Amino acid sequence: MTSFRPLPAPSSVPLDPEALTVAMAIAPGAYARNRLFALYENPAVRQARARSSLLRGLARQLAGSQGPLEGLAIDRSSRGVHVRYRVATVRMDRRSELSELEAACALHLAERGGAPGFAPSAEDRARLNVALRRLASFGDAAVAAMDGG
C-alpha cells in the first residue's frame, strides 16, 4: 500500500499573489492545502489565503449576514478602494483598504451572496476574469467557479 503524497508546488510558474487571493476567495477549495501543501510554504500564498478570507467575510457582511449596514461608504481613489460601514446589531465599525481587484472580488461575492445593489461593473468583471486567467497554469477550476457562480 502506498502512502498519499501531496502534489508539489509548481516551481517554474511565477506566483501572482493578488490573482491567487481572488481565486481563493471565489473558489476556496481550488487551492486546498491538503493537495498543494508545498505551495503554502510560500509566505505570499499564506498572505493571499488570509486576504481571501477577509474578502469572503467582507462579502458576507455586505450581504447582511450580521444585520443591516449603516453608513456604508465605498471610496475609490488612486491608492485603492476604502470601504467603511457599521453593523449596529453587533456594535461593529469596519474599515477595509482594498485594491481595485480585491474590491471587484468583494462586490462579486456580495452579489453572489444575494446582497442587493452590490453588482460589480463590467470593468470589475473584466478585471476579475483577467486575474483568474493569469492562474491558468494551475488549472481552470477558479475560472469555472467564476463563470458558473
Side-chain angles (χ1 to χ4, degrees):
M1 184 166 145
T2 61
S3 64
F4 173 75
R5 300 187 108 204
L7 296 174
S11 58
S12 63
V13 178
L15 187 64
D16 184 340
E18 195 172 37
L20 189 58
T21 298
V22 169
M24 289 175 155
I26 290 175
Y31 298 96
R33 280 186 299 177
N34 293 355
R35 288 182 292 128
L36 301 169
F37 187 76
L39 182 69
Y40 281 87
E41 293 175 354
N42 184 330
V45 174
R46 289 194 303 266
Q47 183 168 358
R49 183 173 181 250
R51 291 295 289 178
S52 70
S53 179
L54 176 134
L55 293 176
R56 287 191 308 274
L58 180 65
R60 280 191 303 272
Q61 289 172 351
L62 290 175
S65 68
Q66 295 179 329
L69 304 180
E70 297 175 359
L72 175 65
I74 300 175
D75 301 318
R76 293 181 185 257
S77 69
S78 61
R79 295 185 339 224
V81 180
H82 305 281
V83 179
R84 295 184 316 269
Y85 57 87
R86 176 173 172 70
V87 181
T89 56
V90 291
R91 297 182 185 155
M92 178 187 72
D93 290 315
R94 183 166 190 173
R95 298 171 193 257
S96 297
E97 293 186 28
L98 308 172
S99 69
E100 287 286 337
L101 181 58
E102 289 173 335
C105 182
L107 291 175
H108 169 75
L109 292 172
E111 177 190 46
R112 195 168 81 177
F118 287 104
S121 67
E123 183 178 321
D124 287 337
R125 288 190 185 281
R127 192 176 281 128
L128 287 171
N129 282 323
V130 167
L132 292 174
R133 296 207 192 288
R134 289 193 306 244
L135 296 174
S137 60
F138 282 59
D140 56 7
V143 174
M146 174 74 180
D147 292 339

